[in-house]
Short mmCIF file of all heavy atoms in Angstrom, two decimals:
data_model
loop_
_atom_site.label_atom_id
_atom_site.label_comp_id
_atom_site.label_asym_id
_atom_site.label_seq_id
_atom_site.Cartn_x
_atom_site.Cartn_y
_atom_site.Cartn_z
N ALA A 249 8.26 24.97 -10.72
CA ALA A 249 9.35 25.70 -11.36
C ALA A 249 10.59 25.73 -10.46
O ALA A 249 11.71 25.54 -10.93
CB ALA A 249 8.90 27.12 -11.70
N ASP A 250 10.39 25.96 -9.18
CA ASP A 250 11.51 26.00 -8.24
C ASP A 250 12.23 24.66 -8.21
O ASP A 250 13.47 24.60 -8.31
CB ASP A 250 10.99 26.36 -6.84
CG ASP A 250 12.11 26.57 -5.84
OD1 ASP A 250 12.87 25.60 -5.59
OD2 ASP A 250 12.24 27.67 -5.30
N ALA A 251 11.48 23.58 -8.09
CA ALA A 251 12.08 22.26 -8.01
C ALA A 251 12.85 21.90 -9.27
O ALA A 251 13.88 21.22 -9.22
CB ALA A 251 11.00 21.21 -7.74
N VAL A 252 12.35 22.36 -10.41
CA VAL A 252 12.99 22.05 -11.70
C VAL A 252 14.21 22.93 -11.95
O VAL A 252 15.28 22.45 -12.32
CB VAL A 252 11.97 22.21 -12.85
CG1 VAL A 252 12.67 22.12 -14.20
CG2 VAL A 252 10.88 21.15 -12.74
N ILE A 253 14.06 24.23 -11.73
CA ILE A 253 15.13 25.17 -12.06
C ILE A 253 16.40 24.90 -11.26
O ILE A 253 17.51 24.98 -11.78
CB ILE A 253 14.65 26.62 -11.86
CG1 ILE A 253 13.61 26.98 -12.93
CG2 ILE A 253 15.81 27.60 -11.91
CD1 ILE A 253 12.91 28.31 -12.70
N ARG A 254 16.26 24.54 -9.98
CA ARG A 254 17.45 24.32 -9.15
C ARG A 254 18.25 23.11 -9.62
O ARG A 254 19.41 22.94 -9.21
CB ARG A 254 17.05 24.15 -7.69
CG ARG A 254 16.25 22.91 -7.39
CD ARG A 254 15.66 22.97 -5.98
NE ARG A 254 16.65 23.29 -4.98
CZ ARG A 254 17.53 22.45 -4.45
NH1 ARG A 254 17.52 21.18 -4.88
NH2 ARG A 254 18.39 22.81 -3.54
N LEU A 255 17.67 22.27 -10.48
CA LEU A 255 18.39 21.10 -10.99
C LEU A 255 19.18 21.41 -12.26
O LEU A 255 19.99 20.59 -12.70
CB LEU A 255 17.39 19.98 -11.29
CG LEU A 255 16.67 19.37 -10.08
CD1 LEU A 255 15.57 18.42 -10.54
CD2 LEU A 255 17.65 18.65 -9.17
N ILE A 256 18.96 22.57 -12.86
CA ILE A 256 19.67 22.93 -14.08
C ILE A 256 21.15 23.16 -13.75
O ILE A 256 21.47 23.89 -12.82
CB ILE A 256 19.07 24.20 -14.71
CG1 ILE A 256 17.60 23.96 -15.09
CG2 ILE A 256 19.87 24.64 -15.93
CD1 ILE A 256 16.88 25.21 -15.55
N PRO A 257 22.05 22.52 -14.48
CA PRO A 257 23.49 22.72 -14.21
C PRO A 257 23.88 24.19 -14.20
O PRO A 257 23.52 24.94 -15.11
CB PRO A 257 24.16 21.96 -15.38
CG PRO A 257 23.17 20.92 -15.76
CD PRO A 257 21.82 21.56 -15.58
N GLY A 258 24.60 24.58 -13.16
CA GLY A 258 25.05 25.96 -13.03
C GLY A 258 24.18 26.83 -12.16
O GLY A 258 24.59 27.91 -11.75
N VAL A 259 22.97 26.37 -11.85
CA VAL A 259 22.07 27.18 -11.02
C VAL A 259 22.56 27.22 -9.57
O VAL A 259 22.65 28.29 -8.95
CB VAL A 259 20.62 26.65 -11.08
CG1 VAL A 259 19.75 27.33 -10.03
CG2 VAL A 259 20.04 26.89 -12.47
N LEU A 260 22.88 26.07 -9.01
CA LEU A 260 23.41 26.01 -7.65
C LEU A 260 24.92 26.17 -7.70
O LEU A 260 25.59 25.66 -8.61
CB LEU A 260 23.05 24.69 -6.98
CG LEU A 260 21.55 24.40 -6.83
CD1 LEU A 260 21.35 23.07 -6.11
CD2 LEU A 260 20.86 25.51 -6.05
N ASN A 261 25.48 26.85 -6.71
CA ASN A 261 26.93 27.04 -6.67
C ASN A 261 27.66 25.71 -6.52
O ASN A 261 28.72 25.51 -7.09
CB ASN A 261 27.29 27.97 -5.52
CG ASN A 261 26.81 29.40 -5.76
OD1 ASN A 261 26.71 29.83 -6.90
ND2 ASN A 261 26.49 30.11 -4.69
N ASP A 262 27.09 24.80 -5.75
CA ASP A 262 27.69 23.48 -5.56
C ASP A 262 26.88 22.49 -6.39
O ASP A 262 25.73 22.19 -6.07
CB ASP A 262 27.67 23.09 -4.07
CG ASP A 262 28.34 21.75 -3.80
OD1 ASP A 262 28.66 21.05 -4.78
OD2 ASP A 262 28.55 21.42 -2.63
N GLU A 263 27.47 21.97 -7.45
CA GLU A 263 26.74 21.10 -8.37
C GLU A 263 26.26 19.82 -7.70
O GLU A 263 25.29 19.21 -8.13
CB GLU A 263 27.63 20.74 -9.56
CG GLU A 263 27.94 21.92 -10.47
CD GLU A 263 26.71 22.51 -11.11
OE1 GLU A 263 25.76 21.76 -11.39
OE2 GLU A 263 26.68 23.73 -11.32
N THR A 264 26.94 19.38 -6.62
CA THR A 264 26.55 18.13 -5.97
C THR A 264 25.41 18.33 -4.99
O THR A 264 24.82 17.36 -4.53
CB THR A 264 27.75 17.51 -5.22
OG1 THR A 264 28.16 18.39 -4.16
CG2 THR A 264 28.91 17.27 -6.16
N SER A 265 25.09 19.58 -4.67
CA SER A 265 24.08 19.84 -3.64
C SER A 265 22.73 19.23 -3.99
O SER A 265 22.10 18.57 -3.16
CB SER A 265 23.93 21.35 -3.42
OG SER A 265 22.95 21.62 -2.45
N ALA A 266 22.27 19.45 -5.22
CA ALA A 266 20.96 18.94 -5.62
C ALA A 266 20.94 17.41 -5.63
O ALA A 266 19.89 16.80 -5.37
CB ALA A 266 20.59 19.47 -7.00
N LEU A 267 22.08 16.80 -5.91
CA LEU A 267 22.13 15.33 -5.97
C LEU A 267 22.00 14.71 -4.60
O LEU A 267 21.71 13.52 -4.48
CB LEU A 267 23.45 14.88 -6.63
CG LEU A 267 23.66 15.34 -8.08
CD1 LEU A 267 25.02 14.88 -8.57
CD2 LEU A 267 22.55 14.82 -8.98
N GLU A 268 22.22 15.51 -3.55
CA GLU A 268 22.16 15.00 -2.19
C GLU A 268 20.87 15.38 -1.48
O GLU A 268 20.71 15.14 -0.29
CB GLU A 268 23.37 15.51 -1.39
CG GLU A 268 24.70 15.01 -1.95
CD GLU A 268 25.89 15.66 -1.27
OE1 GLU A 268 25.67 16.60 -0.46
OE2 GLU A 268 27.03 15.27 -1.56
N ASP A 269 19.95 15.99 -2.22
CA ASP A 269 18.67 16.39 -1.62
C ASP A 269 17.82 15.18 -1.27
O ASP A 269 18.01 14.08 -1.79
CB ASP A 269 17.88 17.27 -2.60
CG ASP A 269 18.46 18.67 -2.70
OD1 ASP A 269 19.20 19.06 -1.78
OD2 ASP A 269 18.17 19.36 -3.69
N SER A 270 16.82 15.42 -0.42
CA SER A 270 15.83 14.39 -0.14
C SER A 270 15.14 13.98 -1.43
O SER A 270 14.97 14.79 -2.35
CB SER A 270 14.77 14.91 0.85
OG SER A 270 15.31 15.05 2.14
N PHE A 271 14.78 12.71 -1.50
CA PHE A 271 14.03 12.09 -2.60
C PHE A 271 14.89 11.73 -3.80
O PHE A 271 14.42 11.04 -4.69
CB PHE A 271 12.83 12.95 -3.04
CG PHE A 271 11.91 13.29 -1.91
CD1 PHE A 271 11.79 14.59 -1.45
CD2 PHE A 271 11.19 12.29 -1.28
CE1 PHE A 271 10.95 14.89 -0.40
CE2 PHE A 271 10.34 12.58 -0.21
CZ PHE A 271 10.23 13.89 0.22
N GLN A 272 16.13 12.19 -3.85
CA GLN A 272 17.02 11.67 -4.88
C GLN A 272 17.35 10.24 -4.46
O GLN A 272 17.65 9.97 -3.31
CB GLN A 272 18.32 12.50 -4.98
CG GLN A 272 18.09 13.93 -5.45
CD GLN A 272 17.77 14.01 -6.95
OE1 GLN A 272 17.58 12.99 -7.63
NE2 GLN A 272 17.70 15.22 -7.48
N ASP A 273 17.28 9.30 -5.37
CA ASP A 273 17.49 7.87 -5.08
C ASP A 273 16.47 7.34 -4.09
O ASP A 273 16.73 6.37 -3.36
CB ASP A 273 18.91 7.62 -4.53
CG ASP A 273 19.98 8.01 -5.53
OD1 ASP A 273 19.75 7.79 -6.74
OD2 ASP A 273 21.03 8.52 -5.12
N ASN A 274 15.30 8.01 -3.99
CA ASN A 274 14.21 7.57 -3.11
C ASN A 274 14.62 7.52 -1.64
O ASN A 274 14.10 6.72 -0.87
CB ASN A 274 13.69 6.19 -3.54
CG ASN A 274 12.72 6.30 -4.70
OD1 ASN A 274 12.53 7.37 -5.27
ND2 ASN A 274 12.09 5.20 -5.06
N LEU A 275 15.52 8.40 -1.24
CA LEU A 275 15.93 8.48 0.16
C LEU A 275 15.75 9.90 0.67
O LEU A 275 15.91 10.86 -0.08
CB LEU A 275 17.40 8.07 0.32
CG LEU A 275 17.77 6.62 0.04
CD1 LEU A 275 19.28 6.45 0.15
CD2 LEU A 275 17.06 5.67 1.01
N LEU A 276 15.42 10.01 1.96
CA LEU A 276 15.41 11.32 2.60
C LEU A 276 16.85 11.71 2.92
O LEU A 276 17.71 10.85 3.09
CB LEU A 276 14.58 11.29 3.88
CG LEU A 276 13.10 10.92 3.74
CD1 LEU A 276 12.42 10.94 5.09
CD2 LEU A 276 12.39 11.86 2.77
N ALA A 277 17.10 13.00 3.00
CA ALA A 277 18.45 13.47 3.29
C ALA A 277 18.82 13.13 4.74
O ALA A 277 17.96 13.11 5.63
CB ALA A 277 18.55 14.97 3.07
N PRO A 278 20.10 12.86 5.00
CA PRO A 278 20.55 12.56 6.37
C PRO A 278 20.58 13.83 7.22
O PRO A 278 20.47 14.94 6.69
CB PRO A 278 21.96 12.00 6.15
CG PRO A 278 22.44 12.69 4.91
CD PRO A 278 21.22 12.81 4.03
N PRO A 279 20.76 13.70 8.54
CA PRO A 279 20.88 14.88 9.40
C PRO A 279 22.10 15.70 9.01
O PRO A 279 23.09 15.16 8.52
CB PRO A 279 21.04 14.28 10.80
CG PRO A 279 20.55 12.88 10.70
CD PRO A 279 20.82 12.45 9.30
N VAL A 280 22.03 17.00 9.23
CA VAL A 280 23.16 17.88 8.95
C VAL A 280 23.49 18.71 10.19
O VAL A 280 22.61 18.99 11.02
CB VAL A 280 22.87 18.82 7.75
CG1 VAL A 280 22.78 18.02 6.47
CG2 VAL A 280 21.60 19.62 7.97
#
């Protein structure tokens, strides 16, 4: 549920945040 809900538009304040998470596009996230 957590993994799914955070992807719903409007849930995260920054809409691009979820698109940059690990495993999107089969890549791990870079260092921050």
Side-chain angles (χ1 to χ4, degrees):
D250 186 298
V252 170
I253 291 171
R254 67 192 310 280
L255 293 172
I256 299 173
V259 170
L260 299 182
N261 292 330
D262 183 351
E263 292 298 327
T264 64
S265 179
L267 299 177
E268 297 172 354
D269 286 340
S270 289
F271 305 113
Q272 295 286 7
D273 298 324
N274 279 7
L275 293 176
L276 300 180
V280 292

